[in-house]
Amino acid sequence: MNQATRRTVTFSLLALLAACGKPQSKFRAYNGPAVTQVVVNKGARKLYLLNGSTVLKSYDVGLGNVPVGHKQFEGDGKTPEGLYFIDRFNPRSQYHLSVGVSYPNENDTALAQALGREPGGDIFIHGWGPDGNRLAPTKKDWTAGCIAIKDDEIEEVYAMLRPGVPIVINP
């Protein structure tokens, strides 16, 4: 093997090793059609990302630890139902990544106050993170009211969504 060939092989191997050792970022790029709506069907445990009426992606989800019924107040363990909006992104979530849902709205706040309670908040679509990796394999609905998907799936969702996208959460 001549000097030039040996050098080429050496640099190729070094480049390959460097690529193998590089940690993969949890932040992905997305160049496809815009997500115009998120739909969650609680009964079917499904989340859909839509462009118009076309389903771009679908995911199996876990819900609050009391999966039936609309969230009424802080600590009830229920996932809200109704029309909300994507309102924030948390890149440092304890659940890998998370995307905020605009709960509570005015009606949610009024209902909770009528019950003499606080409506709660911090409802997110989030990954499993360490808690979910421990709980989700044996308990489908384990969150305090959030919508949970696998860590690699929240990476896709996080890249695809934008603030202001409506999310409809059905019973």
Side-chain angles (χ1 to χ4, degrees):
M1 194 181 303
N2 69 29
Q3 184 76 10
T5 305
R6 196 174 302 131
R7 189 175 298 134
T8 301
V9 169
T10 301
F11 283 120
S12 296
L13 287 173
L14 287 173
L16 181 63
L17 288 173
C20 290
K22 183 179 178 183
Q24 185 178 7
S25 172
K26 64 184 176 180
F27 301 104
R28 299 186 187 185
Y30 176 69
N31 298 332
V35 175
T36 58
Q37 184 178 39
V38 179
V39 175
V40 175
N41 290 332
K42 289 172 54 175
R45 303 296 192 288
K46 290 294 237 183
L47 179 148
Y48 301 94
L49 300 181
L50 302 169
N51 174 272
S53 60
T54 302
V55 175
L56 300 173
K57 287 286 208 170
S58 67
Y59 305 92
D60 294 328
V61 300
L63 302 169
N65 56 38
V66 180
V68 177
H70 173 60
K71 183 167 196 60
Q72 295 183 320
F73 53 83
E74 185 173 41
D76 66 6
K78 295 180 181 181
T79 301
E81 296 172 357
L83 173 63
Y84 300 95
F85 298 89
I86 300 303
D87 66 353
R88 61 203 182 279
F89 292 79
N90 183 0
R92 294 185 191 97
S93 171
Q94 68 183 14
Y95 299 102
H96 194 62
L97 291 170
S98 59
V99 177
V101 175
S102 65
Y103 175 89
N105 61 28
E106 289 179 15
N107 291 337
D108 298 320
T109 301
L111 174 61
Q113 288 176 346
L115 298 170
R117 307 289 296 267
E118 292 296 319
D122 287 337
I123 300 297
F124 288 88
I125 302 168
H126 62 65
W128 282 7
D131 287 347
N133 283 315
R134 183 174 41 82
L135 295 170
T138 58
K139 187 175 182 185
K140 184 183 299 184
D141 299 315
W142 55 271
T143 76
C146 294
I147 300 159
I149 57 180
K150 294 177 182 176
D151 289 348
D152 62 327
E153 295 170 338
I154 192 60
E155 291 176 6
E156 291 177 344
V157 170
Y158 193 94
M160 294 173 76
L161 289 179
R162 297 291 173 260
V165 171
I167 175 170
V168 178
I169 305 172
N170 297 312

